[in-house]
């Protein structure tokens, strides 16, 4: 049984998710901790719950979703995994971060690249990678069928969708990704987005003005 702990980190208020199960192995998704206070908050939770962090998954390499990757590498010796098509965002991440007053201390190389439809395994748990471009190349959603939840990164939010005005953004492609990869999931699937509150596939099917 996977437990999901949500942290809201950095100036972009990204949702950083820690997923762990009864084995106490944990993975982090979108490590966004950007200063010592946030790093301590994360590390304290991991330690006080007796968790062992084993993987670091990045839904896409926009700066708000990678700010903590250097800390995860230095503290836990774990490098990030993301889709290869998302890699080019890292070339400009430092400059982009600086314009928002955020400092990137380092950009670790990928441990490996995620493949569409692969199963990310840890402990007794797994998540399926769903490639869903349109907000950004190489964006992935992470789906758990057994418990019925999906982490959507910046692909879809509660009653909203990811912006498409950044490099590689494509509105029609994003809508197509949402239709094909997310709206094909059961209505009671809980959605954990990259920003903002959780929602469900059924709620979005009904009330999301972009995809109704
Ligand atoms: Zn993004
Ligand atoms: Zn974001």
């Amino acid at each position: 049984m996977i437990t999901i702990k949500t942290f809201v980190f950095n100036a972009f208020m990204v949702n950083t998710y820690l997923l762990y199960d009864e084995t106490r192995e944990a993975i982090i998704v979108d490590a966004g901790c950007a200063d010592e206070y946030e790093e301590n908050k994360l590390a304290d939770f991991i330690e006080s719950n007796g968790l062992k962090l084993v993987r670091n998954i990045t839904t896409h390499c926009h700066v708000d979703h990678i700010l903590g990757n250097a800390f995860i590498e230095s503290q836990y010796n774990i490098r990030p995994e993301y889709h290869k098509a998302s890699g080019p965002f890292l070339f400009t991440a430092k400059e982009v971060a600086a314009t928002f007053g955020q400092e990137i201390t380092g950009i670790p190389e990928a441990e490996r690249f995620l493949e569409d439809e692969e199963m990310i395994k840890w402990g007794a748990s797994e998540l399926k990678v769903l490639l869903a471009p349109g907000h950004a190349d190489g964006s992935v959603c992470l789906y758990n069928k057994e418990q019925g939840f999906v982490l959507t990164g910046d692909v879809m939010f509660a009653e909203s969708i990811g912006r498409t005005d950044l490099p590689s953004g494509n509105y029609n492609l994003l809508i197509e990704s949402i239709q094909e990869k997310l709206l094909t999931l059961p209505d009671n699937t809980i959605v954990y987005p990259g920003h903002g509150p959780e929602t469900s596939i059924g709620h979005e099917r009904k009330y999301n003005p972009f995809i109704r």
Side-chain angles (χ1 to χ4, degrees), residues 115-147:
E115 300 282 347
D116 189 20
E117 309 229 312
E118 81 164 88
M119 302 303 291
I120 295 172
K121 298 184 185 224
W122 81 102
S125 303
E126 58 184 20
L127 289 173
K128 185 177 187 181
V129 173
L130 308 175
L131 184 61
H135 165 68
D137 273 356
S139 280
V140 299
C141 299
L142 305 165
Y143 177 51
N144 181 273
K145 190 178 176 183
E146 293 66 35
Q147 283 175 237

Side-chain angles (χ1 to χ4, degrees), residues 4 11 25 30 35 53 68 97 119 129 135 137 148-149 152 167 172 179 181 192 195:
I4 301 176
E25 281 196 359
D30 290 342
D35 58 31
L53 192 64
M119 302 303 291
V129 173
H135 165 68
D137 273 356
F149 69 84
T152 56
N172 291 336
Q179 300 276 13
K181 302 295 178 88
Y192 294 92
H195 302 267

